Amino acid sequence: EVQLVESGGALVQPGGSLRLSCAASGFTFRSYDMNWVRQAPGKGLECFSSINTGGGIAWYADSVKGRFTISRDNTKNTLYLQMNSLKPEDTAMYYCAASTRIMVDTTVDPDEYNYWGQGTQVTVSS
């Protein structure tokens, strides 16, 4: 059974930091590009960061560039997202998703992603 399990979401104050993890199982993690996608309340899905299979190429949307860092450990089948300088507008449900190509656009077509996690909530508020 394919599983992507996100963890690390929490309530954090503006300016704070969080580290999200996404544990993969049931498929060959190292063969897939990986992505972080979020959905803010009342808004659509937004892909904001992607990383290639080997971890050497990463893409970030302008909204998170310089604040977030995506990484992966193929020996642990785990994807990470380090989030610094968090803002209230970062409040959203955060999903990890696997794909067969690295995404470099914020627009999300769910059919272009092979596997999805169930999400973890990040709330940035004072």
Side-chain angles (χ1 to χ4, degrees):
E1 178 189 5
V2 170
Q3 283 194 314
L4 287 171
V5 181
E6 301 94 336
S7 60
L11 171 64
V12 63
Q13 292 187 339
S17 298
L18 280 177
R19 189 192 197 203
L20 305 185
S21 298
C22 170
S25 61
F27 68 103
T28 306
F29 177 74
R30 64 181 181 274
S31 297
Y32 286 80
D33 301 312
M34 294 299 298
N35 312 273
W36 285 102
V37 176
R38 65 185 179 184
Q39 186 168 30
K43 297 189 176 181
L45 294 168
E46 176 198 20
C47 179
F48 62 89
S49 188
S50 301
I51 190 166
N52 73 328
T53 54
I57 299 173
W59 169 82
Y60 300 94
D62 288 344
S63 58
V64 305
K65 195 175 296 181
R67 299 188 298 124
F68 292 8
T69 303
I70 190 172
S71 62
R72 65 190 296 166
D73 186 337
N74 287 343
T75 67
K76 296 181 178 179
N77 290 345
T78 303
L79 175 72
Y80 302 100
L81 182 71
Q82 178 65 43
M83 304 188 294
N84 299 328
S85 302
L86 282 160
K87 304 175 182 180
E89 51 263 44
D90 294 317
T91 295
M93 184 69 78
Y94 283 68
Y95 302 91
C96 63
S99 60
T100 54
R101 67 178 181 89
I102 187 169
M103 304 297 181
V104 293
D105 190 277
T106 58
T107 303
V108 174
D109 176 357
D111 290 340
E112 292 188 328
Y113 296 79
N114 299 83
Y115 309 118
W116 288 84
Q118 84 292 343
T120 187
Q121 178 68 39
V122 172
T123 302
V124 184
S125 175
S126 55

